[in-house]
Amino acid sequence: MKTMKDIARLAGVSQSTVSRVLSGSAGVSPARKAKVMEWVRKLDFEPNFSAQTLAAKRSLLIGVVVPDLMNPYFAEILAHIEKHAARNGYNVIISNSAGDQKREREIIKSLKARQVDGILIGLSSPEAPLLEELKEQKVRTVIFSQEYDGIDCVGVSHKKGGALVAKHFLAEGIERFAFFGPAKDDKYLGFRETLIGAGIQKDKIEVIGNEDWWLTMLDRGLKSAIEYLSSVNTDLKLGVFSVNDPFALGIVHAAQELNLKVPEEVAVVGFDDTFVCLNVRPTLSSVSQPIEEIGRLAVEMLLKRIDESESNSKENHILLEPKLIRRETS
Amino acid sequence: MKTMKDIARLAGVSQSTVSRVLSGSAGVSPARKAKVMEWVRKLDFEPNFSAQTLAAKRSLLIGVVVPDLMNPYFAEILAHIEKHAARNGYNVIISNSAGDQKREREIIKSLKARQVDGILIGLSSPEAPLLEELKEQKVRTVIFSQEYDGIDCVGVSHKKGGALVAKHFLAEGIERFAFFGPAKDDKYLGFRETLIGAGIQKDKIEVIGNEDWWLTMLDRGLKSAIEYLSSVNTDLKLGVFSVNDPFALGIVHAAQELNLKVPEEVAVVGFDDTFVCLNVRPTLSSVSQPIEEIGRLAVEMLLKRIDESESNSKENHILLEPKLIRRETS
DNA sequence: TTGAAAGCGCTACCAC
DNA sequence: GTGGTAGCGCTTTCAA
């Protein structure tokens, strides 16, 4: 491995000069600059990032934490994050939390030890204690899955998304409802609120997979979907709203397996509008989040924070509009 | 940020002792060890990775390079790689090459500058020059997508996979064939070889999306699939073999759009057997790679290389058996 | 405009 | 067992 010292010796200048040339800081004569660059090219030199990080306290590294890499939503957003990060000279460390808070803490701790310049985090459900910690520790953080007071975030309003689905189901004349996912999710709050506001009785709204929903998720929800659908009374048309697309797919398949007609007997709407929605038959209705935009904005927000030396300014919240994309399952 | 110096001062020992305790190296009295650990816990101390990397020349970081994060195959394998890496105390830097060789070079260069302990790389098509470079540079590397002389690798034999599909098509009495993907792909070689061995005329075998197949990939192949299927003579039943699953899906949808019956008029087989195969209707036939195993083995292989101080030993090639999973599209 | 030199936080060697 | 100390490769004052 070559070092700046080598370049300096070969180019006949001091190491400081090499550093100045490479960092693009002003105050180097064109002649010396050219000489340095010549050797940099000749040796295909690249400065050691660890040394740079140690000395400059800036790693050009961002950490991304997601609860489930297999969920196409997170895979897609990771792809966009990586693209924009790379474009700005940043590398991305990816960590999968599997929706486990303990693991999330460990990850964040280790990312800090790596001196990452910032963290982008997607949560699968609201986790106040963790976010509270994140706020205390002064790591620059942007959440791309939900809102939280005192932390930068970007995303759609899940509550509004839930409300959209409720309105849609009501307009279709549906009278029984189920939500697949954690009851504390904002999506469910918006869903339920709207239904109750429209005069629906509470006993017509059910939550499935509440506590252990994450475990249920891991096999894509098929099993618990079958369990639920086979136990439910189907004399009333059922409207099922799912916390995400893979899980919604599980419901559709469960319905098919039980010979229930979709959407005539069971209407299904997912969340995220990932590309799988179009890749399945029947095509899946879903609440759309502008994934690419969210990924881009999250990176931009974080880099802006990194640039401003003082972390004085108030947090930024960017809320985009969710949209219900109606397809064949609802 | 606290440092080892702080811990040392508080615990009343030298910095060397703190270092020894934290690295678990022998030769520290239990009493002092306990005292150090007490302060480590109290301050929630975590050593600075950059400093460690710089001093020990070991980053506990591995780089993963994939051509397309949106392809479920790579998303899945990344998930497994991350899991096993984390289990062994490694973090993962993920980079998306978009199938571009220039970008791949840049990525590798920057990963080396980051002092990664090793690189796992998945390629979308054979790229001899790049791999040759990789061999020259002594970065520990494992390929998880294909075989290459002189570099460790793990995966299924794509050639065998292609042969399996050819045999299957022949057994179904199919007489016209197409391969969607780059002609230089081993999958195609095995496919074509087997067909020709069985007496099929060369003009009955076509390659679609050869040169610009990657671009085609990016919108999941639907457009060029429609283009191809609408131009082809359909009086003979067609067997289409695709380089991966998303692309195969494009063909199925194109066929549906053109009112061609799948699999009666057009049989389709994908590659990788990602979970989308089961999530679509008709369910997609595909050549299966044991994704989880490949991810695990790739990490294990790399860590073994890292452990052996000398990089003397010959390369390892692990070839797993591909399997044709027949479903509704063939 | 340039170079010398003092760190950044840690590891590892050497001496006690 | 333990502590002192010389780097690891870079950035960034400070003087010249």
Side-chain angles (χ1 to χ4, degrees):
Chain A
M1 276 286 94
K2 322 107 178 45
T3 70
M4 279 196 179
K5 219 167 160 182
D6 299 324
I7 303 284
R9 189 170 28 77
L10 291 165
V13 301
S14 77
Q15 191 182 312
S16 335
T17 300
V18 177
S19 172
R20 285 185 190 111
V21 171
L22 261 53
S23 70
S25 53
V28 183
S29 70
R32 297 192 155 211
K33 184 168 173 176
K35 199 167 245 167
V36 168
M37 286 312 291
E38 187 191 326
W39 282 103
V40 166
R41 257 192 300 279
K42 235 178 233 170
L43 300 195
D44 196 29
F45 174 77
E46 188 98 345
N48 180 319
F49 270 97
S50 303
Q52 231 173 271
T53 300
L54 190 59
K57 294 169 177 337
R58 166 182 106 325
S59 62
L60 293 178
L61 212 48
I62 69 184
V64 176
V65 188
V66 298
D68 180 13
L69 266 173
M70 304 247 199
N71 181 328
Y73 172 67
F74 290 111
E76 278 184 59
I77 207 159
L78 172 60
H80 290 123
I81 288 174
E82 194 277 338
K83 184 176 65 196
H84 287 285
R87 216 170 262 175
N88 288 283
Y90 281 77
N91 277 128
V92 167
I93 292 189
I94 177 71
S95 294
N96 199 130
S97 66
D100 173 9
Q101 294 216 27
K102 186 159 144 278
R103 183 84 193 93
E104 266 161 352
R105 281 207 180 71
E106 288 170 15
I107 290 172
I108 287 165
K109 198 173 163 193
S110 114
L111 288 176
K112 281 171 59 187
R114 290 246 179 237
Q115 320 290 113
V116 296
D117 291 339
I119 295 179
L120 296 178
I121 186 165
L123 266 8
S124 47
S125 51
E127 292 171 10
L130 179 74
L131 295 173
E132 210 48 47
E133 275 178 43
L134 228 35
K135 209 157 66 174
E136 307 294 296
Q137 309 167 5
K138 32 194 300 160
V139 211
R140 292 171 246 265
T141 307
V142 174
I143 313 179
F144 56 85
S145 57
Q146 64 181 275
E147 276 196 278
Y148 195 78
D149 268 1
I151 305 187
D152 284 353
C153 52
V154 50
V156 304
S157 162
H158 289 206
K159 211 169 154 187
K160 266 195 198 170
L164 284 177
V165 178
K167 278 180 218 146
H168 169 60
F169 281 165
L170 289 169
E172 293 294 305
I174 293 177
E175 295 171 58
R176 274 180 63 71
F177 309 85
F179 174 73
F180 267 60
K184 58 184 170 172
D185 195 304
D186 279 347
K187 300 177 187 69
Y188 176 60
L189 264 47
F191 184 61
R192 179 186 170 86
E193 212 167 74
T194 305
L195 290 177
I196 287 179
I200 298 294
Q201 295 302 311
K202 287 182 183 172
D203 66 345
K204 297 287 183 216
I205 311 173
E206 207 163 339
V207 177
I208 297 103
N210 182 3
E211 284 316 318
D212 48 313
W213 81 281
W214 191 259
L215 287 175
T216 318
M217 269 307 300
L218 292 183
D219 57 31
R220 271 33 194 179
L222 182 57
K223 225 168 54 196
S224 64
I226 290 184
E227 213 167 274
Y228 169 68
L229 286 184
S230 49
S231 74
V232 82
N233 179 341
T234 46
D235 47 355
L236 282 183
K237 176 171 175 181
L238 186 63
V240 184
F241 174 34
S242 157
V243 68
N244 62 26
D245 290 333
F247 210 179
L249 225 48
I251 300 161
V252 173
H253 293 158
Q256 291 173 333
E257 205 150 304
L258 297 169
N259 286 317
L260 294 169
K261 281 206 161 46
V262 177
E264 292 78 6
E265 296 172 274
V266 184
V268 181
V269 177
F271 206 97
D272 293 340
D273 192 34
T274 52
F275 60 76
V276 297
C277 295
L278 274 171
N279 279 348
V280 298
R281 297 294 178 272
T283 52
L284 185 65
S285 299
S286 189
V287 176
S288 140
Q289 313 203 46
I291 301 190
E292 173 148 22
E293 197 175 356
I294 293 176
R296 179 174 55 76
L297 289 172
V299 172
E300 282 173 5
M301 254 168 128
L302 188 60
L303 297 190
K304 214 172 66 192
R305 277 276 183 233
I306 293 171
D307 279 346
E308 53 186 43
S309 43
E310 288 307 309
S311 63
N312 41 5
S313 65
K314 208 178 163 306
E315 80 258 25
N316 281 129
H317 281 200
I318 301 186
L319 265 194
L320 305 167
E321 278 305 309
K323 243 185 332 201
L324 176 64
I325 311 291
R326 188 179 177 188
R327 298 205 181 83
E328 296 167 4
T329 58
S330 77
Chain B
M1 277 285 96
K2 325 99 177 46
T3 70
M4 281 196 180
K5 220 168 161 179
D6 300 323
I7 303 284
R9 187 168 31 74
L10 291 164
V13 301
S14 78
Q15 191 182 315
S16 330
T17 299
V18 177
S19 172
R20 283 185 192 110
V21 171
L22 261 54
S23 69
S25 53
V28 184
S29 70
R32 297 193 156 207
K33 184 167 172 176
K35 199 167 246 167
V36 168
M37 284 313 290
E38 187 191 326
W39 282 103
V40 166
R41 257 191 301 278
K42 234 177 237 171
L43 302 194
D44 196 30
F45 173 77
E46 187 98 344
N48 180 319
F49 270 98
S50 303
Q52 235 174 278
T53 300
L54 191 58
K57 297 175 177 333
R58 169 183 99 331
S59 62
L60 294 178
L61 213 47
I62 69 183
V64 176
V65 188
V66 298
D68 180 13
L69 266 172
M70 304 246 198
N71 181 329
Y73 173 68
F74 289 111
E76 279 185 57
I77 207 158
L78 172 61
H80 291 123
I81 288 174
E82 195 276 338
K83 183 175 65 196
H84 287 284
R87 217 169 260 175
N88 289 283
Y90 281 76
N91 278 128
V92 167
I93 292 189
I94 178 68
S95 295
N96 199 129
S97 66
D100 173 8
Q101 295 216 27
K102 185 158 144 278
R103 183 84 193 92
E104 267 161 352
R105 281 210 178 69
E106 288 170 15
I107 289 171
I108 288 165
K109 198 173 163 191
S110 113
L111 288 176
K112 281 171 58 184
R114 290 248 179 235
Q115 319 291 113
V116 296
D117 291 339
I119 295 178
L120 296 177
I121 184 164
L123 266 9
S124 49
S125 52
E127 291 172 9
L130 179 73
L131 295 173
E132 209 49 48
E133 274 177 45
L134 228 35
K135 210 157 67 176
E136 307 294 296
Q137 310 168 4
K138 32 194 301 164
V139 211
R140 292 171 246 265
T141 307
V142 174
I143 313 178
F144 55 86
S145 57
Q146 64 181 274
E147 277 197 276
Y148 195 77
D149 269 0
I151 306 187
D152 284 352
C153 52
V154 51
V156 303
S157 162
H158 289 204
K159 211 169 154 186
K160 268 194 196 169
L164 284 177
V165 178
K167 278 180 217 146
H168 168 61
F169 282 164
L170 290 168
E172 294 293 306
I174 294 177
E175 296 172 59
R176 276 179 62 73
F177 308 85
F179 174 74
F180 267 61
K184 58 184 169 172
D185 195 303
D186 280 346
K187 299 178 188 69
Y188 176 59
L189 263 46
F191 184 61
R192 180 185 169 86
E193 212 168 73
T194 305
L195 290 177
I196 289 179
I200 298 294
Q201 295 301 311
K202 288 183 183 171
D203 66 345
K204 298 286 183 218
I205 311 174
E206 207 164 338
V207 177
I208 297 102
N210 183 3
E211 284 316 320
D212 49 315
W213 81 282
W214 191 259
L215 288 176
T216 318
M217 270 307 300
L218 292 182
D219 57 32
R220 274 28 194 183
L222 183 58
K223 224 168 55 197
S224 65
I226 291 183
E227 211 166 276
Y228 169 66
L229 286 183
S230 51
S231 75
V232 82
N233 178 343
T234 46
D235 47 356
L236 282 183
K237 175 170 175 183
L238 186 62
V240 184
F241 174 35
S242 158
V243 69
N244 62 27
D245 291 333
F247 209 178
L249 226 48
I251 300 161
V252 173
H253 293 158
Q256 290 173 334
E257 206 149 303
L258 296 170
N259 286 318
L260 293 169
K261 281 204 164 46
V262 177
E264 292 79 4
E265 295 173 275
V266 184
V268 181
V269 176
F271 207 98
D272 294 339
D273 191 34
T274 51
F275 60 76
V276 298
C277 296
L278 275 172
N279 280 348
V280 297
R281 297 294 179 272
T283 53
L284 185 65
S285 299
S286 189
V287 175
S288 139
Q289 313 203 46
I291 302 190
E292 174 149 23
E293 196 175 356
I294 292 176
R296 179 175 55 77
L297 288 172
V299 173
E300 282 173 5
M301 254 167 127
L302 188 58
L303 297 190
K304 214 172 68 192
R305 276 277 184 234
I306 292 172
D307 280 345
E308 53 186 43
S309 42
E310 287 307 309
S311 63
N312 42 4
S313 66
K314 209 179 163 305
E315 81 258 24
N316 282 128
H317 281 199
I318 301 187
L319 265 193
L320 305 166
E321 277 305 308
K323 244 185 332 203
L324 176 63
I325 310 292
R326 188 180 177 187
R327 298 203 182 83
E328 297 168 3
T329 59
S330 78

